[in-house]
Amino acid sequence: MSILIRVTRQNPSTATLLTRHLSSAASKLHSSYTFKPPSSLTPEPECPNSPPTKPNQKKPKPKYRPPSSLDPAGRKPVRSNDLPFDFRFSYTESSPKVRPIGLREPKYSPFGPGRLDRKWTGVCAPAVDPTVESLEAAEDPKLEEQRKKKREMIQGKPLTTDERKALVSQFEKSKTNRHVNLGRDGLTHNMLNVIHNHWKFAEAVRIKCMGVPTMDMKNICTQLEDKTFGKVIFRHGGTLILYRGRNYNPKKRSIVPLMLWKPHEPVYPRLIKTTIDGLSIEETKKIRKRGLAVPALTKLAKNGYYAFLVPMVRDAFLSCELVRIDCEGLERKDYKKIGCKLRDMVPCILVTFENEQVVVWRGKDYKPPKDGHFLKDRESFEDGNDDLNVAQEQQAI
């Protein structure tokens, strides 16, 4: 090697000739004495364009794929035979009696593809498979009997007065911070699973209700008992205590499939019409102008307790025909829901939603309801006469 370096330094042309000679001699030796193995010992690669793999080369790792809840990955759909009711996004803020006039999106199931053994109609997932594809499926009357039998089986023997008082004192706000918030969407489907998770560690759960659903607390209590198979043992304002039952077993409870996203609300008929039924256009404009000038009956706070609203409007209709409720600061969809509930519960006629105000009219032939509307702000659910016990507790307070 040192000789070649010296020659290169002295005469570069001689060095190039010498390297060419050495390379040609090496190629002749390689062609004469090389060994070519048979084809059986050299397997051809599967892909002709891919380079041959080395014997000790590791297989390339698969590319990272983030986990997705939409990927079934061999899962079987959840069986929902143990839950004999139609699955909806909200059980308190939607009514099966009101039929929508259209959908805002295709009928994509919010439970995910292939994760539930029910069909999504765009509004609900009915327990009984609908034979005709429609927006709303009528509920089977036998389902209510099944729910009632299952609830009686889970509840078992009713609680005594001492047991009820002990549970109520155990789940007061000052003794435990564990609770469930029920907000503007009301009792949602995924909230059922949250309640069952609380029942794993305690016999009861405290539920704090806020916002629009509190206008009908009786409906909230009914839906909670109907969908969770529990029992409301105490109510004070918007705070409830829901008991799971004597025979409740968290290991054998029904599996509640979860909704992966919130479905779009369907299209319903307009609440405010161009002209009020039985009036002309000019009379409708005059009533709307007068309604906005009437002093406000009350001003609603955001995420407040609105159970007092229906009796207040009924009492106000005894002296005046127009009532205005100040909803400044609330979202538009919230005071629209308030107006819809007033229309059904008072009942009354909606006039306008302008300037964040809810204006209602009692109508020409208004007759106050005979049954009245006595508001029970506190219910103890004691054995015997409930009204007497409620009156005694209110006097003690």
Side-chain angles (χ1 to χ4, degrees), residues 299-332:
K299 183 176 181 179
L300 300 181
K302 191 174 183 180
N303 295 329
Y305 178 66
Y306 306 150
F308 58 86
L309 198 57
V310 172
M312 281 184 69
V313 173
R314 287 182 175 178
D315 292 342
F317 277 159
L318 298 176
S319 58
C320 57
E321 60 177 357
L322 287 169
V323 171
R324 179 171 68 90
I325 301 167
D326 190 359
C327 301
E328 187 177 356
L330 273 67
E331 293 191 14
R332 184 173 178 80

PDB file of all heavy atoms in Angstrom, residues 299-332:
ATOM      1  N   LYS A 299     -87.791  37.951  37.232  1.00  0.00           N
ATOM      2  CA  LYS A 299     -86.585  37.825  36.421  1.00  0.00           C
ATOM      3  C   LYS A 299     -85.899  36.517  36.794  1.00  0.00           C
ATOM      4  O   LYS A 299     -85.613  36.271  37.970  1.00  0.00           O
ATOM      5  CB  LYS A 299     -85.633  39.007  36.652  1.00  0.00           C
ATOM      6  CG  LYS A 299     -84.393  38.934  35.771  1.00  0.00           C
ATOM      7  CD  LYS A 299     -83.505  40.154  35.929  1.00  0.00           C
ATOM      8  CE  LYS A 299     -82.294  40.032  35.008  1.00  0.00           C
ATOM      9  NZ  LYS A 299     -81.399  41.207  35.095  1.00  0.00           N
ATOM     10  N   LEU A 300     -85.618  35.706  35.785  1.00  0.00           N
ATOM     11  CA  LEU A 300     -85.047  34.388  36.019  1.00  0.00           C
ATOM     12  C   LEU A 300     -83.521  34.462  36.009  1.00  0.00           C
ATOM     13  O   LEU A 300     -82.923  35.115  35.150  1.00  0.00           O
ATOM     14  CB  LEU A 300     -85.521  33.401  34.943  1.00  0.00           C
ATOM     15  CG  LEU A 300     -87.033  33.184  34.854  1.00  0.00           C
ATOM     16  CD1 LEU A 300     -87.347  32.163  33.768  1.00  0.00           C
ATOM     17  CD2 LEU A 300     -87.602  32.724  36.185  1.00  0.00           C
ATOM     18  N   ALA A 301     -82.907  33.791  36.970  1.00  0.00           N
ATOM     19  CA  ALA A 301     -81.450  33.691  37.034  1.00  0.00           C
ATOM     20  C   ALA A 301     -80.993  32.469  36.253  1.00  0.00           C
ATOM     21  O   ALA A 301     -81.731  31.486  36.095  1.00  0.00           O
ATOM     22  CB  ALA A 301     -80.988  33.590  38.484  1.00  0.00           C
ATOM     23  N   LYS A 302     -79.758  32.522  35.763  1.00  0.00           N
ATOM     24  CA  LYS A 302     -79.209  31.410  34.994  1.00  0.00           C
ATOM     25  C   LYS A 302     -78.968  30.216  35.924  1.00  0.00           C
ATOM     26  O   LYS A 302     -78.444  30.366  37.028  1.00  0.00           O
ATOM     27  CB  LYS A 302     -77.901  31.837  34.331  1.00  0.00           C
ATOM     28  CG  LYS A 302     -77.390  30.858  33.305  1.00  0.00           C
ATOM     29  CD  LYS A 302     -76.174  31.414  32.592  1.00  0.00           C
ATOM     30  CE  LYS A 302     -75.688  30.455  31.509  1.00  0.00           C
ATOM     31  NZ  LYS A 302     -74.504  30.985  30.803  1.00  0.00           N
ATOM     32  N   ASN A 303     -79.370  29.031  35.455  1.00  0.00           N
ATOM     33  CA  ASN A 303     -79.232  27.783  36.214  1.00  0.00           C
ATOM     34  C   ASN A 303     -79.898  27.882  37.584  1.00  0.00           C
ATOM     35  O   ASN A 303     -79.365  27.402  38.599  1.00  0.00           O
ATOM     36  CB  ASN A 303     -77.753  27.405  36.391  1.00  0.00           C
ATOM     37  CG  ASN A 303     -77.080  27.091  35.079  1.00  0.00           C
ATOM     38  OD1 ASN A 303     -77.705  26.600  34.139  1.00  0.00           O
ATOM     39  ND2 ASN A 303     -75.799  27.375  34.979  1.00  0.00           N
ATOM     40  N   GLY A 304     -81.073  28.507  37.603  1.00  0.00           N
ATOM     41  CA  GLY A 304     -81.796  28.659  38.870  1.00  0.00           C
ATOM     42  C   GLY A 304     -82.817  27.564  39.068  1.00  0.00           C
ATOM     43  O   GLY A 304     -82.836  26.533  38.365  1.00  0.00           O
ATOM     44  N   TYR A 305     -83.687  27.794  40.039  1.00  0.00           N
ATOM     45  CA  TYR A 305     -84.762  26.857  40.380  1.00  0.00           C
ATOM     46  C   TYR A 305     -86.073  27.503  39.976  1.00  0.00           C
ATOM     47  O   TYR A 305     -86.468  28.533  40.528  1.00  0.00           O
ATOM     48  CB  TYR A 305     -84.725  26.558  41.887  1.00  0.00           C
ATOM     49  CG  TYR A 305     -85.815  25.645  42.368  1.00  0.00           C
ATOM     50  CD1 TYR A 305     -85.880  24.316  41.956  1.00  0.00           C
ATOM     51  CD2 TYR A 305     -86.784  26.102  43.258  1.00  0.00           C
ATOM     52  CE1 TYR A 305     -86.875  23.479  42.409  1.00  0.00           C
ATOM     53  CE2 TYR A 305     -87.785  25.276  43.721  1.00  0.00           C
ATOM     54  CZ  TYR A 305     -87.825  23.964  43.297  1.00  0.00           C
ATOM     55  OH  TYR A 305     -88.821  23.129  43.747  1.00  0.00           O
ATOM     56  N   TYR A 306     -86.783  26.895  38.996  1.00  0.00           N
ATOM     57  CA  TYR A 306     -87.940  27.532  38.361  1.00  0.00           C
ATOM     58  C   TYR A 306     -89.267  26.845  38.685  1.00  0.00           C
ATOM     59  O   TYR A 306     -90.245  27.029  37.966  1.00  0.00           O
ATOM     60  CB  TYR A 306     -87.774  27.543  36.837  1.00  0.00           C
ATOM     61  CG  TYR A 306     -86.490  28.163  36.328  1.00  0.00           C
ATOM     62  CD1 TYR A 306     -85.899  27.731  35.144  1.00  0.00           C
ATOM     63  CD2 TYR A 306     -85.857  29.191  37.019  1.00  0.00           C
ATOM     64  CE1 TYR A 306     -84.728  28.294  34.671  1.00  0.00           C
ATOM     65  CE2 TYR A 306     -84.691  29.761  36.565  1.00  0.00           C
ATOM     66  CZ  TYR A 306     -84.128  29.308  35.387  1.00  0.00           C
ATOM     67  OH  TYR A 306     -82.970  29.863  34.933  1.00  0.00           O
ATOM     68  N   ALA A 307     -89.326  26.043  39.735  1.00  0.00           N
ATOM     69  CA  ALA A 307     -90.578  25.333  40.034  1.00  0.00           C
ATOM     70  C   ALA A 307     -91.705  26.276  40.429  1.00  0.00           C
ATOM     71  O   ALA A 307     -92.884  25.923  40.338  1.00  0.00           O
ATOM     72  CB  ALA A 307     -90.340  24.303  41.137  1.00  0.00           C
ATOM     73  N   PHE A 308     -91.356  27.489  40.871  1.00  0.00           N
ATOM     74  CA  PHE A 308     -92.376  28.460  41.297  1.00  0.00           C
ATOM     75  C   PHE A 308     -93.031  29.169  40.116  1.00  0.00           C
ATOM     76  O   PHE A 308     -94.005  29.902  40.302  1.00  0.00           O
ATOM     77  CB  PHE A 308     -91.713  29.523  42.185  1.00  0.00           C
ATOM     78  CG  PHE A 308     -90.585  30.256  41.498  1.00  0.00           C
ATOM     79  CD1 PHE A 308     -90.829  31.368  40.711  1.00  0.00           C
ATOM     80  CD2 PHE A 308     -89.276  29.811  41.611  1.00  0.00           C
ATOM     81  CE1 PHE A 308     -89.803  32.035  40.065  1.00  0.00           C
ATOM     82  CE2 PHE A 308     -88.242  30.473  40.977  1.00  0.00           C
ATOM     83  CZ  PHE A 308     -88.506  31.584  40.194  1.00  0.00           C
ATOM     84  N   LEU A 309     -92.529  28.969  38.896  1.00  0.00           N
ATOM     85  CA  LEU A 309     -92.956  29.798  37.767  1.00  0.00           C
ATOM     86  C   LEU A 309     -94.392  29.501  37.342  1.00  0.00           C
ATOM     87  O   LEU A 309     -95.175  30.420  37.079  1.00  0.00           O
ATOM     88  CB  LEU A 309     -91.990  29.592  36.599  1.00  0.00           C
ATOM     89  CG  LEU A 309     -91.998  30.648  35.500  1.00  0.00           C
ATOM     90  CD1 LEU A 309     -91.722  32.019  36.073  1.00  0.00           C
ATOM     91  CD2 LEU A 309     -90.971  30.309  34.431  1.00  0.00           C
ATOM     92  N   VAL A 310     -94.769  28.240  37.262  1.00  0.00           N
ATOM     93  CA  VAL A 310     -96.116  27.876  36.799  1.00  0.00           C
ATOM     94  C   VAL A 310     -97.192  28.400  37.743  1.00  0.00           C
ATOM     95  O   VAL A 310     -98.158  29.040  37.294  1.00  0.00           O
ATOM     96  CB  VAL A 310     -96.221  26.350  36.600  1.00  0.00           C
ATOM     97  CG1 VAL A 310     -97.664  25.940  36.309  1.00  0.00           C
ATOM     98  CG2 VAL A 310     -95.307  25.887  35.465  1.00  0.00           C
ATOM     99  N   PRO A 311     -97.101  28.194  39.064  1.00  0.00           N
ATOM    100  CA  PRO A 311     -98.147  28.774  39.940  1.00  0.00           C
ATOM    101  C   PRO A 311     -98.162  30.295  39.922  1.00  0.00           C
ATOM    102  O   PRO A 311     -99.238  30.904  40.071  1.00  0.00           O
ATOM    103  CB  PRO A 311     -97.790  28.232  41.340  1.00  0.00           C
ATOM    104  CG  PRO A 311     -96.391  27.771  41.242  1.00  0.00           C
ATOM    105  CD  PRO A 311     -96.182  27.339  39.840  1.00  0.00           C
ATOM    106  N   MET A 312     -97.006  30.937  39.734  1.00  0.00           N
ATOM    107  CA  MET A 312     -96.984  32.404  39.660  1.00  0.00           C
ATOM    108  C   MET A 312     -97.738  32.908  38.434  1.00  0.00           C
ATOM    109  O   MET A 312     -98.497  33.880  38.513  1.00  0.00           O
ATOM    110  CB  MET A 312     -95.532  32.896  39.625  1.00  0.00           C
ATOM    111  CG  MET A 312     -94.831  32.918  40.956  1.00  0.00           C
ATOM    112  SD  MET A 312     -93.177  33.617  40.851  1.00  0.00           S
ATOM    113  CE  MET A 312     -93.563  35.321  40.521  1.00  0.00           C
ATOM    114  N   VAL A 313     -97.542  32.249  37.292  1.00  0.00           N
ATOM    115  CA  VAL A 313     -98.229  32.674  36.066  1.00  0.00           C
ATOM    116  C   VAL A 313     -99.726  32.424  36.194  1.00  0.00           C
ATOM    117  O   VAL A 313    -100.553  33.252  35.767  1.00  0.00           O
ATOM    118  CB  VAL A 313     -97.637  31.945  34.847  1.00  0.00           C
ATOM    119  CG1 VAL A 313     -98.451  32.244  33.593  1.00  0.00           C
ATOM    120  CG2 VAL A 313     -96.186  32.350  34.625  1.00  0.00           C
ATOM    121  N   ARG A 314    -100.118  31.308  36.809  1.00  0.00           N
ATOM    122  CA  ARG A 314    -101.553  31.032  36.987  1.00  0.00           C
ATOM    123  C   ARG A 314    -102.203  32.073  37.901  1.00  0.00           C
ATOM    124  O   ARG A 314    -103.332  32.513  37.643  1.00  0.00           O
ATOM    125  CB  ARG A 314    -101.737  29.631  37.566  1.00  0.00           C
ATOM    126  CG  ARG A 314    -101.472  28.512  36.565  1.00  0.00           C
ATOM    127  CD  ARG A 314    -101.709  27.157  37.196  1.00  0.00           C
ATOM    128  NE  ARG A 314    -101.572  26.084  36.223  1.00  0.00           N
ATOM    129  CZ  ARG A 314    -101.697  24.799  36.513  1.00  0.00           C
ATOM    130  NH1 ARG A 314    -101.968  24.425  37.758  1.00  0.00           N
ATOM    131  NH2 ARG A 314    -101.565  23.879  35.582  1.00  0.00           N
ATOM    132  N   ASP A 315    -101.512  32.444  38.945  1.00  0.00           N
ATOM    133  CA  ASP A 315    -102.075  33.478  39.848  1.00  0.00           C
ATOM    134  C   ASP A 315    -102.136  34.833  39.146  1.00  0.00           C
ATOM    135  O   ASP A 315    -103.083  35.607  39.351  1.00  0.00           O
ATOM    136  CB  ASP A 315    -101.217  33.584  41.109  1.00  0.00           C
ATOM    137  CG  ASP A 315    -101.306  32.334  41.971  1.00  0.00           C
ATOM    138  OD1 ASP A 315    -102.259  31.560  41.774  1.00  0.00           O
ATOM    139  OD2 ASP A 315    -100.420  32.131  42.821  1.00  0.00           O
ATOM    140  N   ALA A 316    -101.141  35.145  38.304  1.00  0.00           N
ATOM    141  CA  ALA A 316    -101.138  36.439  37.619  1.00  0.00           C
ATOM    142  C   ALA A 316    -102.261  36.534  36.594  1.00  0.00           C
ATOM    143  O   ALA A 316    -102.802  37.618  36.362  1.00  0.00           O
ATOM    144  CB  ALA A 316     -99.789  36.649  36.926  1.00  0.00           C
ATOM    145  N   PHE A 317    -102.650  35.398  35.996  1.00  0.00           N
ATOM    146  CA  PHE A 317    -103.725  35.405  35.006  1.00  0.00           C
ATOM    147  C   PHE A 317    -105.081  35.696  35.642  1.00  0.00           C
ATOM    148  O   PHE A 317    -106.046  36.004  34.926  1.00  0.00           O
ATOM    149  CB  PHE A 317    -103.791  34.060  34.273  1.00  0.00           C
ATOM    150  CG  PHE A 317    -102.811  33.953  33.137  1.00  0.00           C
ATOM    151  CD1 PHE A 317    -102.425  32.718  32.652  1.00  0.00           C
ATOM    152  CD2 PHE A 317    -102.296  35.083  32.531  1.00  0.00           C
ATOM    153  CE1 PHE A 317    -101.539  32.614  31.600  1.00  0.00           C
ATOM    154  CE2 PHE A 317    -101.396  34.993  31.471  1.00  0.00           C
ATOM    155  CZ  PHE A 317    -101.016  33.750  31.000  1.00  0.00           C
ATOM    156  N   LEU A 318    -105.209  35.619  36.942  1.00  0.00           N
ATOM    157  CA  LEU A 318    -106.474  35.957  37.591  1.00  0.00           C
ATOM    158  C   LEU A 318    -106.742  37.454  37.563  1.00  0.00           C
ATOM    159  O   LEU A 318    -107.905  37.879  37.647  1.00  0.00           O
ATOM    160  CB  LEU A 318    -106.462  35.461  39.047  1.00  0.00           C
ATOM    161  CG  LEU A 318    -106.331  33.941  39.239  1.00  0.00           C
ATOM    162  CD1 LEU A 318    -106.234  33.611  40.721  1.00  0.00           C
ATOM    163  CD2 LEU A 318    -107.509  33.214  38.596  1.00  0.00           C
ATOM    164  N   SER A 319    -105.695  38.268  37.433  1.00  0.00           N
ATOM    165  CA  SER A 319    -105.872  39.721  37.462  1.00  0.00           C
ATOM    166  C   SER A 319    -105.506  40.402  36.146  1.00  0.00           C
ATOM    167  O   SER A 319    -105.964  41.514  35.893  1.00  0.00           O
ATOM    168  CB  SER A 319    -105.025  40.325  38.601  1.00  0.00           C
ATOM    169  OG  SER A 319    -103.660  39.987  38.427  1.00  0.00           O
ATOM    170  N   CYS A 320    -104.661  39.813  35.324  1.00  0.00           N
ATOM    171  CA  CYS A 320    -104.278  40.423  34.046  1.00  0.00           C
ATOM    172  C   CYS A 320    -104.179  39.333  32.981  1.00  0.00           C
ATOM    173  O   CYS A 320    -103.933  38.163  33.301  1.00  0.00           O
ATOM    174  CB  CYS A 320    -102.959  41.189  34.167  1.00  0.00           C
ATOM    175  SG  CYS A 320    -101.592  40.190  34.742  1.00  0.00           S
ATOM    176  N   GLU A 321    -104.359  39.747  31.734  1.00  0.00           N
ATOM    177  CA  GLU A 321    -104.389  38.774  30.650  1.00  0.00           C
ATOM    178  C   GLU A 321    -103.021  38.544  30.010  1.00  0.00           C
ATOM    179  O   GLU A 321    -102.842  37.546  29.305  1.00  0.00           O
ATOM    180  CB  GLU A 321    -105.376  39.219  29.568  1.00  0.00           C
ATOM    181  CG  GLU A 321    -105.049  40.563  28.939  1.00  0.00           C
ATOM    182  CD  GLU A 321    -106.026  40.915  27.832  1.00  0.00           C
ATOM    183  OE1 GLU A 321    -106.908  40.076  27.547  1.00  0.00           O
ATOM    184  OE2 GLU A 321    -105.892  42.011  27.264  1.00  0.00           O
ATOM    185  N   LEU A 322    -102.061  39.432  30.212  1.00  0.00           N
ATOM    186  CA  LEU A 322    -100.718  39.300  29.640  1.00  0.00           C
ATOM    187  C   LEU A 322     -99.688  39.231  30.759  1.00  0.00           C
ATOM    188  O   LEU A 322     -99.782  39.974  31.747  1.00  0.00           O
ATOM    189  CB  LEU A 322    -100.393  40.476  28.711  1.00  0.00           C
ATOM    190  CG  LEU A 322    -101.108  40.493  27.361  1.00  0.00           C
ATOM    191  CD1 LEU A 322    -100.910  41.835  26.674  1.00  0.00           C
ATOM    192  CD2 LEU A 322    -100.594  39.368  26.461  1.00  0.00           C
ATOM    193  N   VAL A 323     -98.705  38.332  30.603  1.00  0.00           N
ATOM    194  CA  VAL A 323     -97.644  38.157  31.591  1.00  0.00           C
ATOM    195  C   VAL A 323     -96.308  38.174  30.856  1.00  0.00           C
ATOM    196  O   VAL A 323     -96.144  37.518  29.819  1.00  0.00           O
ATOM    197  CB  VAL A 323     -97.810  36.834  32.374  1.00  0.00           C
ATOM    198  CG1 VAL A 323     -96.590  36.553  33.235  1.00  0.00           C
ATOM    199  CG2 VAL A 323     -99.060  36.882  33.230  1.00  0.00           C
ATOM    200  N   ARG A 324     -95.372  38.950  31.403  1.00  0.00           N
ATOM    201  CA  ARG A 324     -94.020  39.012  30.823  1.00  0.00           C
ATOM    202  C   ARG A 324     -93.015  38.501  31.845  1.00  0.00           C
ATOM    203  O   ARG A 324     -93.053  38.881  33.017  1.00  0.00           O
ATOM    204  CB  ARG A 324     -93.672  40.445  30.427  1.00  0.00           C
ATOM    205  CG  ARG A 324     -92.264  40.592  29.838  1.00  0.00           C
ATOM    206  CD  ARG A 324     -92.067  41.990  29.277  1.00  0.00           C
ATOM    207  NE  ARG A 324     -92.049  43.020  30.314  1.00  0.00           N
ATOM    208  CZ  ARG A 324     -90.936  43.426  30.947  1.00  0.00           C
ATOM    209  NH1 ARG A 324     -89.760  42.871  30.665  1.00  0.00           N
ATOM    210  NH2 ARG A 324     -91.017  44.393  31.852  1.00  0.00           N
ATOM    211  N   ILE A 325     -92.101  37.641  31.376  1.00  0.00           N
ATOM    212  CA  ILE A 325     -91.045  37.063  32.221  1.00  0.00           C
ATOM    213  C   ILE A 325     -89.712  37.503  31.641  1.00  0.00           C
ATOM    214  O   ILE A 325     -89.431  37.265  30.461  1.00  0.00           O
ATOM    215  CB  ILE A 325     -91.149  35.527  32.268  1.00  0.00           C
ATOM    216  CG1 ILE A 325     -92.519  35.119  32.814  1.00  0.00           C
ATOM    217  CG2 ILE A 325     -90.038  34.930  33.110  1.00  0.00           C
ATOM    218  CD1 ILE A 325     -92.850  33.659  32.616  1.00  0.00           C
ATOM    219  N   ASP A 326     -88.901  38.144  32.467  1.00  0.00           N
ATOM    220  CA  ASP A 326     -87.606  38.657  32.034  1.00  0.00           C
ATOM    221  C   ASP A 326     -86.582  37.518  32.064  1.00  0.00           C
ATOM    222  O   ASP A 326     -86.275  36.964  33.127  1.00  0.00           O
ATOM    223  CB  ASP A 326     -87.162  39.800  32.944  1.00  0.00           C
ATOM    224  CG  ASP A 326     -85.936  40.529  32.404  1.00  0.00           C
ATOM    225  OD1 ASP A 326     -85.432  40.120  31.341  1.00  0.00           O
ATOM    226  OD2 ASP A 326     -85.491  41.506  33.039  1.00  0.00           O
ATOM    227  N   CYS A 327     -86.041  37.170  30.887  1.00  0.00           N
ATOM    228  CA  CYS A 327     -85.047  36.091  30.765  1.00  0.00           C
ATOM    229  C   CYS A 327     -83.706  36.633  30.281  1.00  0.00           C
ATOM    230  O   CYS A 327     -82.972  35.923  29.562  1.00  0.00           O
ATOM    231  CB  CYS A 327     -85.542  35.007  29.806  1.00  0.00           C
ATOM    232  SG  CYS A 327     -87.082  34.235  30.294  1.00  0.00           S
ATOM    233  N   GLU A 328     -83.380  37.860  30.635  1.00  0.00           N
ATOM    234  CA  GLU A 328     -82.129  38.457  30.187  1.00  0.00           C
ATOM    235  C   GLU A 328     -80.940  37.693  30.774  1.00  0.00           C
ATOM    236  O   GLU A 328     -80.876  37.428  31.972  1.00  0.00           O
ATOM    237  CB  GLU A 328     -82.067  39.921  30.622  1.00  0.00           C
ATOM    238  CG  GLU A 328     -80.872  40.669  30.056  1.00  0.00           C
ATOM    239  CD  GLU A 328     -80.878  42.131  30.444  1.00  0.00           C
ATOM    240  OE1 GLU A 328     -81.862  42.553  31.089  1.00  0.00           O
ATOM    241  OE2 GLU A 328     -79.920  42.843  30.103  1.00  0.00           O
ATOM    242  N   GLY A 329     -79.996  37.321  29.906  1.00  0.00           N
ATOM    243  CA  GLY A 329     -78.826  36.549  30.327  1.00  0.00           C
ATOM    244  C   GLY A 329     -78.944  35.076  30.059  1.00  0.00           C
ATOM    245  O   GLY A 329     -77.937  34.361  30.088  1.00  0.00           O
ATOM    246  N   LEU A 330     -80.151  34.586  29.782  1.00  0.00           N
ATOM    247  CA  LEU A 330     -80.334  33.169  29.460  1.00  0.00           C
ATOM    248  C   LEU A 330     -80.115  32.931  27.970  1.00  0.00           C
ATOM    249  O   LEU A 330     -80.297  33.839  27.157  1.00  0.00           O
ATOM    250  CB  LEU A 330     -81.736  32.703  29.858  1.00  0.00           C
ATOM    251  CG  LEU A 330     -81.931  32.217  31.300  1.00  0.00           C
ATOM    252  CD1 LEU A 330     -81.762  33.360  32.282  1.00  0.00           C
ATOM    253  CD2 LEU A 330     -83.300  31.571  31.460  1.00  0.00           C
ATOM    254  N   GLU A 331     -79.748  31.713  27.624  1.00  0.00           N
ATOM    255  CA  GLU A 331     -79.591  31.360  26.217  1.00  0.00           C
ATOM    256  C   GLU A 331     -80.961  31.259  25.558  1.00  0.00           C
ATOM    257  O   GLU A 331     -81.964  30.939  26.196  1.00  0.00           O
ATOM    258  CB  GLU A 331     -78.832  30.044  26.083  1.00  0.00           C
ATOM    259  CG  GLU A 331     -77.393  30.131  26.536  1.00  0.00           C
ATOM    260  CD  GLU A 331     -76.603  28.903  26.150  1.00  0.00           C
ATOM    261  OE1 GLU A 331     -77.111  28.117  25.312  1.00  0.00           O
ATOM    262  OE2 GLU A 331     -75.489  28.719  26.669  1.00  0.00           O
ATOM    263  N   ARG A 332     -80.978  31.501  24.252  1.00  0.00           N
ATOM    264  CA  ARG A 332     -82.244  31.541  23.532  1.00  0.00           C
ATOM    265  C   ARG A 332     -82.983  30.205  23.606  1.00  0.00           C
ATOM    266  O   ARG A 332     -84.198  30.165  23.796  1.00  0.00           O
ATOM    267  CB  ARG A 332     -82.001  31.930  22.071  1.00  0.00           C
ATOM    268  CG  ARG A 332     -83.277  32.086  21.261  1.00  0.00           C
ATOM    269  CD  ARG A 332     -83.031  32.640  19.871  1.00  0.00           C
ATOM    270  NE  ARG A 332     -84.248  32.749  19.098  1.00  0.00           N
ATOM    271  CZ  ARG A 332     -85.124  33.731  19.203  1.00  0.00           C
ATOM    272  NH1 ARG A 332     -84.924  34.701  20.068  1.00  0.00           N
ATOM    273  NH2 ARG A 332     -86.205  33.753  18.441  1.00  0.00           N
TER     274      ARG A 332
END
